[in-house]
Amino acid sequence: MRYKWVYLLISSLVLVPGLFSLFKWGFKPSIDFVGGTLMEITNVQCQDAGVAAKVRQIFSENNVDLGTLQSSGEKTCLLRLKTITSEQNEKIIEVLKKEYPPIQQTRFETVGPILGQELLQKTFIAAILAILGILSYVAYAFKNLKFGVSAILALFHDVLVMVGIFSLLGHFWKVEIDTLFVTAVLTTMSFSVHDTIVVFDRIRETLRKNPGGDFETMTNKAVTETMGRSLNNSLTIVFMLLALLLLGGQTTKFFILALLVGTISGTYSSPFVATPILVLWQKWEERKRKLRG
């Protein structure tokens, strides 16, 4: 923990640009949040990566943002996109028919958002309740509130890294957030606490074996002992996500990227954010006890 201020500085260098972007520009919401147009076409193999890429290219060339493109049956595709007019729809269908002559449009309608305001509010309240539950459980399990608070602060760190990076991606590269991004955030919250508890458990075990030992020294020992396990565990996930990111489809590309960012941040925050906060809190308590005499 000798370099704890360096670790916190590294976190700040990642967090500050993301938070600035978040408050300045916010997110670029997808059709899942704002609603749009639902279109269904048949007689085309959209599960074929080449066909899907060509369809997306046609929409892009007509200045239409195509959100999701998924197969909904044999030779049937369901497309969700930003709201377009009937004229734009007819123009795109004509181009698609020239490229894939048997293609037919069977559905064209305007739809509302999947994640409405009320559902988002309920999701936010559920997340807050889950965080309070985690805080209470970790504090109870470790018989000390500072373990729970440190784990939750590391969790906030990981979530803010994710939302900050995606705010920057949305502003500079027009990357949208959708329901899969919400799933990635919730998954990262779970992973972050899971990895932190492993480190904290080793700290508690080390303190039990060395009663009266210096807290920072014991913490260093615990972090060193768990570092290999944490890295090996996380690298298996990172390699799998990298393979999916490079070889997977366009639809899940940014979902995988969000999980990758969350996994790397969660691996970093357990030893280099949660643990330094714990050490600083312990030192603050010791100084307070000395001043009281």
Side-chain angles (χ1 to χ4, degrees):
M1 290 298 111
R2 184 192 304 174
Y3 302 107
K4 52 184 172 292
W5 293 110
V6 176
Y7 307 145
L8 296 177
L9 176 64
I10 292 172
S11 290
S12 300
L13 291 175
V14 177
L15 285 172
V16 170
L19 289 175
F20 173 81
S21 173
L22 190 62
F23 287 109
K24 178 79 173 174
W25 301 305
F27 291 115
K28 186 173 172 55
S30 72
I31 185 176
D32 292 351
F33 290 91
V34 298
T37 296
L38 191 63
M39 185 187 293
E40 188 176 72
I41 53 178
T42 59
N43 298 327
V44 61
Q45 296 280 5
C46 63
Q47 58 267 49
D48 183 294
V51 174
K54 184 61 182 177
V55 171
R56 285 188 174 278
Q57 182 185 342
I58 290 171
F59 275 82
S60 176
E61 288 172 351
N62 284 274
N63 299 317
V64 175
D65 291 330
L66 175 57
T68 60
L69 168 64
Q70 62 186 81
S71 173
S72 60
E74 189 177 355
K75 295 185 178 181
T76 303
C77 306
L78 193 64
L79 302 91
R80 296 179 66 88
L81 51 144
K82 293 288 175 63
T83 304
I84 60 172
T85 63
S86 299
E87 291 74 19
Q88 286 177 297
N89 174 57
E90 290 171 5
K91 185 179 176 183
I92 290 172
I93 292 299
E94 280 182 18
V95 178
L96 286 171
K97 282 182 176 177
K98 286 179 183 174
E99 189 70 31
Y100 304 102
I103 199 169
Q104 292 292 328
Q105 185 176 34
T106 54
R107 193 175 178 184
F108 173 70
E109 59 188 55
T110 301
V111 297
I114 293 176
L115 293 175
Q117 192 63 32
E118 185 181 349
L119 183 58
L120 282 175
Q121 287 175 353
K122 287 181 179 177
T123 304
F124 181 74
I125 291 170
I128 294 295
L129 291 175
I131 288 170
L132 290 175
I134 293 169
L135 171 62
S136 304
Y137 177 74
V138 175
Y140 170 77
F142 287 87
K143 311 298 181 192
N144 198 316
L145 180 64
K146 60 175 175 276
F147 281 86
V149 173
S150 300
I152 294 301
L153 289 175
L155 181 152
F156 277 124
H157 167 276
D158 298 336
V159 172
L160 289 175
V161 166
M162 279 184 70
V163 297
I165 286 177
F166 269 76
S167 175
L168 287 166
L169 289 173
H171 179 71
F172 290 107
W173 287 279
K174 311 303 179 191
V175 175
E176 298 179 343
I177 59 164
D178 53 17
T179 50
L180 289 177
F181 177 76
V182 176
T183 305
V185 170
L186 296 175
T187 305
T188 296
M189 288 170 66
S190 168
F191 176 79
S192 172
V193 174
H194 170 265
D195 204 44
T196 302
I197 285 177
V198 170
V199 178
F200 282 3
D201 187 56
R202 183 57 63 90
I203 292 173
R204 179 175 61 177
E205 186 182 329
T206 307
L207 289 170
R208 280 178 181 169
K209 289 180 179 176
N210 303 275
D214 178 66
F215 187 83
E216 185 169 345
T217 304
M218 295 300 106
T219 302
N220 271 328
K221 187 172 186 295
V223 168
T224 304
E225 289 174 352
T226 55
M227 185 66 73
R229 176 199 176 282
S230 293
L231 280 177
N232 289 334
N233 184 41
S234 298
L235 281 175
T236 57
I237 302 172
V238 167
F239 288 143
M240 180 198 69
L241 291 174
L242 277 175
L244 287 172
L245 182 66
L246 296 173
L247 304 174
Q250 181 68 25
T251 307
T252 57
K253 179 179 177 181
F254 291 106
F255 170 61
I256 301 299
L257 179 62
L259 286 177
L260 189 59
V261 171
T263 301
I264 293 172
S265 179
T267 305
Y268 173 83
S269 70
S270 297
F272 300 125
V273 176
T275 308
I277 291 172
L278 192 63
V279 170
L280 289 171
W281 192 330
Q282 177 70 18
K283 284 191 170 184
W284 175 73
E285 285 184 340
E286 289 174 357
R287 276 199 300 270
K288 202 165 68 169
R289 280 197 291 270
K290 284 181 182 176
L291 288 174
R292 286 176 181 171

